[in-house]
């Protein structure tokens, strides 16, 4: 069984963009000396300026143990499995894989930033809206800053004034991650008894499986509701791509190219029974005939009506390109 993913991310000493360098130094010290706890605390005090609180040091040590970077061996500290994996090549890609696998919300933050720069308050709300199980006080920016600082240290995020945005490496990560992390086990993210949360549900019938954190990000941006049917149960929602997944790999992780649809409406959309035009009006295939009350009410009777997306609708140019492929849709 996979270990529980961590809700709290702890900063490293040494400054907001130096977390990786600090982690490297700690792991190299542990690997070489296998210190006791007192020796590890003393090393921190001798290495970093203005670090004296034992509790503050041990909070960081506990976090590194929870991730799996270090582990206790009797009275001593040794490298844990994640520490051994990282130090075996000490590449950013290995460290990034560990951090996004073991910590809730890092991937969803990168997906959200792919849509545009965010302030630290927007980062905080994005994380809590997408992962309510994080549970921190939304009025405090500290937890959001710790997350952005880890991503800055990894070279995926940069800060310009009050805005945080993706670097080129960050964009490369999001382009790969939506498929790379598809089907990953995320059941420990939430304490929900039925497991049917936005982050944990994996599509297996109609929709292509995507990274659960990408799925959670999409649902969060659309208030967890299908804009066509108004279905709002996460287990009944798919992530639908406007421009097809197989033909447009560069847009797989593009938040402007996706929307949440109920499983039935996703199937109907993919089978070209209805579409949404660039003005967000529902357009219905004239050959679509059904006796289903639900489909009559939510699709056929809504032909020509505006679909409400708020501020998070799909990119109109993507809808236009999608609709140019539909033989039945004539201006």
């Amino acid at each position: 069984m996979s270990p529980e993913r961590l809700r709290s991310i702890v900063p490293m000493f040494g400054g907001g963009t130096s977390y990786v360098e600090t982690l490297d130094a700690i792991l190299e010290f542990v690997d070489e000396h296998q210190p006791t706890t007192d020796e590890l605390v003393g090393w921190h005090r001798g290495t970093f300026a203005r670090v004296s609180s034992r509790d503050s040091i041990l909070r960081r040590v506990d976090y590194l143990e929870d991730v799996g970077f270090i582990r206790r061996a009797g009275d001593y500290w040794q490298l844990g499995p994640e520490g051994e994996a990282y130090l075996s090549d000490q590449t950013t890609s290995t460290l990034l894989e560990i951090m996004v696998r073991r910590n809730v919300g890092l991937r969803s933050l990168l997906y959200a930033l792919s849509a545009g720069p965010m302030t630290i308050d927007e980062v905080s709300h994005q994380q809590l809206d997408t992962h309510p199980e994080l549970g921190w006080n939304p009025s405090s920016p500290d937890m959001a800053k710790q997350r952005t600082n880890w991503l800055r240290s990894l070279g995926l995020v940069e800060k310009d004034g009050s805005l945080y945005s993706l670097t080129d490496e960050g964009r490369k990560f999001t382009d790969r991650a939506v498929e790379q992390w598809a089907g990953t086990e995320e059941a420990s993210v939430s304490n929900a008894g039925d497991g049917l949360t936005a982050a944990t549900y994996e599509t297996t019938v109609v929709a292509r499986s995507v990274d659960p954190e990408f799925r959670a990000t999409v649902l969060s941006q659309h208030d967890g509701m299908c804009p066509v049917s108004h279905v709002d149960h996460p287990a009944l929602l798919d992530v639908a791509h406007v421009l097809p997944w197989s033909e447009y790999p560069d847009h797989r992780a593009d938040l402007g190219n996706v929307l949440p649809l109920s499983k039935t409406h996703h199937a109907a959309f993919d089978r070209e029974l209805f579409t949404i035009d660039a003005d967000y009006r529902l357009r219905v295939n004239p050959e679509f005939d059904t006796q289903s009350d639900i489909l009559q009410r939510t699709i056929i009777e809504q032909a020509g009506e505006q679909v409400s997306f708020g501020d998070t609708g799909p990119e109109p140019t993507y809808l236009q390109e999608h609709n140019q492929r539909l033989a039945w849709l004539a201006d």
Side-chain angles (χ1 to χ4, degrees), residues 118-129:
M118 300 168 67
T119 66
I120 201 67
D121 285 341
E122 290 170 336
V123 168
S124 183
H125 283 93
Q126 181 274 330
Q127 289 283 273
L128 290 172
D129 289 345

Side-chain angles (χ1 to χ4, degrees), residues 279-291:
D279 296 320
Y280 294 162
R281 293 172 300 173
L282 194 72
R283 307 292 292 273
V284 181
N285 188 327
E287 297 183 0
F288 182 27
D289 184 26
T290 178
Q291 300 303 310

Side-chain angles (χ1 to χ4, degrees), residues 83-273:
E84 291 177 348
Y86 173 47
L87 281 192
S88 67
D89 62 13
Q90 211 157 344
T91 61
T92 300
S93 60
T94 296
L95 179 56
L96 175 60
E97 187 278 333
I98 293 169
M99 291 299 292
V100 299
R101 171 166 48 81
R102 294 292 293 116
N103 295 277
V104 176
L106 286 183
R107 296 199 307 274
S108 75
L109 175 53
L110 291 168
Y111 290 130
L113 286 169
S114 71
M118 300 168 67
T119 66
I120 201 67
D121 285 341
E122 290 170 336
V123 168
S124 183
H125 283 93
Q126 181 274 330
Q127 289 283 273
L128 290 172
D129 289 345
T130 308
H131 306 283
E133 68 274 15
L134 292 174
W136 71 64
N137 184 345
S139 65
S140 173
D142 290 347
M143 294 300 291
K145 285 181 179 178
Q146 292 164 14
R147 289 162 183 265
T148 56
N149 283 342
W150 267 108
L151 295 176
R152 290 171 69 197
S153 298
L154 286 161
L156 304 181
V157 169
E158 58 189 1
K159 183 181 180 185
D160 183 6
S162 64
L163 293 177
Y164 296 83
S165 59
L166 291 187
T167 63
D168 289 342
E169 285 302 312
R171 292 194 178 279
K172 290 178 183 178
F173 173 83
T174 58
D175 288 344
R176 297 190 304 265
V178 67
E179 183 174 15
Q180 176 184 350
W181 293 89
T184 53
E185 178 57 52
E186 308 272 322
S188 61
V189 169
S190 173
N191 292 325
D194 60 7
L196 300 179
T197 69
T200 63
Y201 178 71
E202 178 185 345
T203 304
T204 57
V205 180
V206 176
R208 182 182 294 272
S209 179
V210 298
D211 178 5
E213 288 209 9
F214 180 72
R215 185 178 187 279
T217 303
V218 175
L219 267 60
S220 175
Q221 291 212 339
H222 291 269
D223 297 324
M225 180 182 295
C226 169
V228 177
S229 67
H230 297 153
V231 168
D232 62 357
H233 196 293
L236 303 178
L237 295 174
D238 286 342
V239 173
H241 283 73
V242 177
L243 299 177
W245 171 286
S246 59
E247 299 176 40
Y248 295 84
D250 291 344
H251 294 295
R252 290 175 179 174
D254 187 339
L255 291 175
N257 188 43
V258 292
L259 65 159
L261 294 176
S262 80
K263 300 182 76 62
T264 298
H265 289 73
H266 187 189
F269 180 81
D270 283 353
R271 286 162 176 76
E272 302 179 358
L273 300 179

